[in-house]
Amino acid sequence: DETRDATLADTLRATRHSPPSSFREAIQLIWIYALHAGTWNYGRLDSVLGPLLVRDLESGVVTRDEALDLLCSWWRLMHAYNNQYNNRVWIGGRGRANESAADVFALLAIDATRRVRLNQPQLSMRFYQGQNPALWERALDAIGEGCTFPMLYNDDINIPAVAHAFGVDEEMATNYTPYGCGEYVLGHYSEGSPNGVINLLKALELALHGGRDPVNGRKVIDVPAVEAMQTFEDVWDAYVAILEPNVEALALQEKLEYEVVAAETPFAFISLLTSDCLERGLSAFGGGARYLGGTLETYGNANAADSLHAINELVFRRQVITLPDLVAALDANFEGHDDLLNLCRSVSKYGNDEGTSDAMARRVHDHICELTRSQAEKVGLDSYLVVIINNWANTVLGWKTGASAEGRLAGQPMANGNNPSSGSDVSGVTAFLNSLARLDPSIHAGAVQNMKFSKEWFGEIRPKFDALLRTYFLQGGTQAMITVVSRDDLEAAMREPDKWGHLMVRVGGFSIR
């Protein structure tokens, strides 16, 4: 209407030459800048917008309902921007200058997400012990209603973990900001992106075939034939020999990409908001950012760990099959080997709070994270770190990976993010969470945990769910992405999909209807 148009015109005129003086002006300026900068992630908006919102509420410039309408409108614009792997909005956590004001915005942001029920923006909440408990309760309300947001990040674990991984002090680490599917940067102080992908299960497959890819027949590297592998450590060494040169090459690729970007593309709008760029007179990727780092996406982590554990258990410890015979069964996709398939699937798996399988998962995790981390100094980056995220690559890479020793068939998807391989966590939710918390978070730049719960957890037994989640975070859990949906709802959606367009599920690094 005319009044709204006039208000918008006044807001736009006001932001041309002056800093925002109101909540409305601030969100308008942020949105225009984001469109010009080409960015899809918006940082810690509660820190920026909270004080303006509180001032406007107290002075009567805007009511809470009007402010909520503005946020809902903004959420719709972000959704229309349509980058489902990004569009991150952050609330909560340590390091906010005016927490009480920031919390007013944070609660409003959660309510906007509950009202519009979109899969973007990806509202994400950092929290710590001692934070305003209303944020936690409101977040669980939204999750329980099926929003999949906010995603939860544990500052009590993540801040010291980020400090160690990035080699910075904890004050700087309070600026950690997961973006995209969940990879970390130091907000306003570092640049970095995941420009490499590696499939750990494929590395094991190559190791079991003398360095040749059995899917396409291409020779990749020379490693001993399986007939020469007399111990489990021989298998491990061949697996490592496949990974090391590839990780080294991917780190160098990352550095070279940055050099090309620095020479060709200044990213002026992003550089203006990156600390030190103006003082140094350099672009963000050309020496302006205080920290220039990179990340390597790893897939098949849990599958590789479970497969290595199965090989160790069946071939070397229990000696129920030889390694060449096991590889032959894998090449046959277990056809004609039903007993062996069942035996492989019966071996304990990561995700069940079981000592030996979780120990193998830790060994695989620690090795790839430390190997990747060690490349930064070699190639001249401030950091080069693993990210264990998921968009679609676990499925696509699974298409090109043969059968594996944990009982997965050829071409099937691999595990989602940091989760156990599909269907392998059979010992209950407590065991599942205990296993997740055992993987060291201080040697990577983000890992995602997808969790799916039924609606019953958010009814009468919500106090039990609350205790379960708090305990997971207390014992080292870093993050949770929670989908709440019932089996009945999913079955009804399959029968009548047109009636269930509101149903939201978390896939990995994104949510979708």
Side-chain angles (χ1 to χ4, degrees):
D1 57 24
E2 290 184 5
T3 301
R4 185 181 65 179
D5 291 345
T7 301
L8 177 59
D10 290 343
T11 301
L12 291 169
R13 277 192 291 270
T15 57
R16 289 181 65 187
H17 303 296
S18 303
S21 61
S22 70
F23 178 66
R24 184 189 296 270
E25 289 177 8
I27 63 175
Q28 183 67 72
L29 180 60
I30 291 170
W31 181 239
I32 290 173
Y33 202 98
L35 294 175
H36 280 285
T39 184
W40 290 303
N41 297 284
Y42 310 97
R44 305 184 75 175
L45 290 184
D46 57 349
S47 286
V48 176
L49 296 172
L52 285 169
L53 173 61
V54 169
R55 190 174 68 187
D56 283 4
L57 290 170
E58 290 177 348
S59 64
V61 170
V62 68
T63 67
R64 191 181 189 281
D65 286 344
E66 289 170 339
L68 181 58
D69 286 341
L70 283 171
L71 270 196
C72 289
S73 175
W74 197 11
W75 272 204
R76 293 185 186 99
L77 288 171
M78 291 182 186
H79 179 262
Y81 205 3
N82 194 25
N83 187 304
Q84 64 184 4
Y85 303 118
N86 289 281
N87 271 325
R88 289 261 189 163
V89 169
W90 281 94
I91 57 174
R94 297 188 185 276
R96 297 175 297 162
N98 185 341
E99 279 208 13
S100 61
D103 288 348
V104 173
F105 176 89
L107 292 168
L108 195 72
I110 296 172
D111 285 347
T113 292
R114 295 169 71 185
R115 177 186 283 190
V116 297
R117 293 294 182 90
L118 301 169
N119 71 327
Q120 300 168 68
Q122 297 199 80
L123 186 66
S124 308
M125 187 179 87
R126 289 170 47 178
F127 67 91
Y128 63 92
Q129 289 195 66
Q131 183 169 278
N132 180 356
L135 269 67
W136 176 269
E137 295 300 327
R138 194 75 60 87
L140 292 192
D141 289 343
I143 292 167
E145 292 168 2
C147 292
T148 74
F149 302 121
M151 292 173 277
L152 304 173
Y153 284 78
N154 180 6
D155 273 9
D156 292 325
I157 299 298
N158 283 321
I159 289 174
V162 167
H164 182 266
F166 283 80
V168 298
D169 61 31
E170 290 198 9
E171 182 178 0
M172 177 58 68
T174 61
N175 296 295
Y176 85 92
T177 308
Y179 73 105
C181 294
E183 51 272 25
Y184 297 171
V185 289
L186 302 171
H188 296 282
Y189 290 95
S190 79
E191 298 292 351
S193 60
N195 291 329
V197 171
I198 197 163
N199 178 351
L200 303 192
L201 186 60
K202 192 67 175 183
L204 178 58
E205 183 179 50
L206 293 171
L208 295 176
H209 291 83
R212 186 181 300 277
D213 186 344
V215 176
N216 61 27
R218 186 169 64 91
K219 184 74 171 181
V220 177
I221 192 172
D222 284 319
V223 294
V226 291
E227 290 79 8
M229 296 179 183
Q230 300 302 308
T231 68
F232 174 75
E233 294 305 318
D234 292 337
V235 177
W236 177 266
D237 289 345
Y239 162 75
V240 167
I242 301 293
L243 285 176
E244 288 181 345
N246 283 283
V247 171
E248 291 172 0
L250 288 164
L252 180 59
Q253 169 193 296
E254 186 99 13
K255 173 64 172 176
L256 293 174
E257 287 176 350
Y258 287 154
E259 290 176 355
V260 172
V261 167
E264 300 293 335
T265 310
F267 287 112
F269 283 98
I270 290 173
S271 297
L272 282 171
L273 295 186
T274 302
S275 296
D276 304 328
C277 287
L278 286 176
E279 292 84 350
R280 295 176 178 180
L282 297 169
S283 68
F285 291 95
R290 189 175 305 184
Y291 307 104
L292 184 62
T295 52
L296 172 62
E297 295 181 25
T298 63
Y299 295 92
N301 302 37
N303 304 85
D306 286 342
S307 294
L308 284 162
H309 176 53
I311 290 168
N312 191 31
E313 184 73 10
L314 299 178
V315 175
F316 298 104
R317 197 182 76 80
R318 291 159 54 183
Q319 297 182 356
V320 298
I321 190 171
T322 67
L323 189 58
D325 285 346
L326 175 59
V327 173
L330 298 180
D331 290 345
N333 199 25
F334 288 107
E335 291 185 14
H337 301 274
D338 291 345
D339 290 344
L340 178 59
L341 175 60
N342 291 331
L343 192 60
C344 289
R345 289 177 172 173
S346 72
V347 177
S348 62
K349 304 287 193 294
Y350 161 68
N352 293 286
D353 196 15
E354 190 278 327
T356 56
S357 53
D358 281 3
M360 186 63 75
R362 288 196 302 274
R363 184 176 183 180
V364 168
H365 172 85
D366 290 353
H367 170 261
I368 188 61
C369 289
E370 294 290 10
L371 171 62
T372 303
R373 192 164 174 251
S374 69
Q375 305 306 312
E377 185 175 356
K378 297 178 184 178
V379 300
L381 292 172
D382 293 298
S383 63
Y384 188 60
L385 299 165
V386 157
V387 288
I388 312 163
I389 57 177
N390 190 57
N391 34 54
W392 38 259
N394 69 313
T395 298
V396 173
L397 295 177
W399 293 342
K400 302 296 184 181
T401 306
S404 43
E406 89 278 28
R408 175 190 147 278
L409 298 180
Q412 291 298 303
M414 299 183 296
N416 185 314
N418 217 25
N419 283 26
S421 52
S422 182
S424 66
D425 54 314
V426 295
S427 300
V429 64
T430 302
F432 162 69
L433 294 176
N434 285 343
S435 292
L436 288 184
R438 288 203 173 96
L439 301 182
D440 186 356
S442 72
I443 51 178
H444 60 66
V448 300
Q449 279 80 230
N450 265 321
M451 305 173 192
K452 292 179 173 61
F453 293 93
S454 65
K455 291 180 179 178
E456 289 75 15
W457 284 93
F458 289 82
E460 292 182 2
I461 61 172
R462 174 161 160 171
K464 290 185 178 181
F465 176 78
D466 187 273
L468 178 77
L469 203 57
R470 289 179 186 272
T471 302
Y472 161 66
F473 286 126
L474 281 171
Q475 67 177 13
T478 60
Q479 185 258 9
M481 304 191 306
I482 301 171
T483 295
V484 176
V485 66
S486 72
R487 181 186 181 92
D488 289 345
D489 287 348
L490 291 172
E491 290 178 343
M494 292 175 69
R495 290 193 300 269
E496 299 179 289
D498 292 344
K499 296 181 180 180
W500 287 86
H502 62 282
L503 196 66
M504 198 87 73
V505 294
R506 189 75 190 164
V507 177
F510 64 98
S511 294
I512 198 164
R513 294 193 184 282

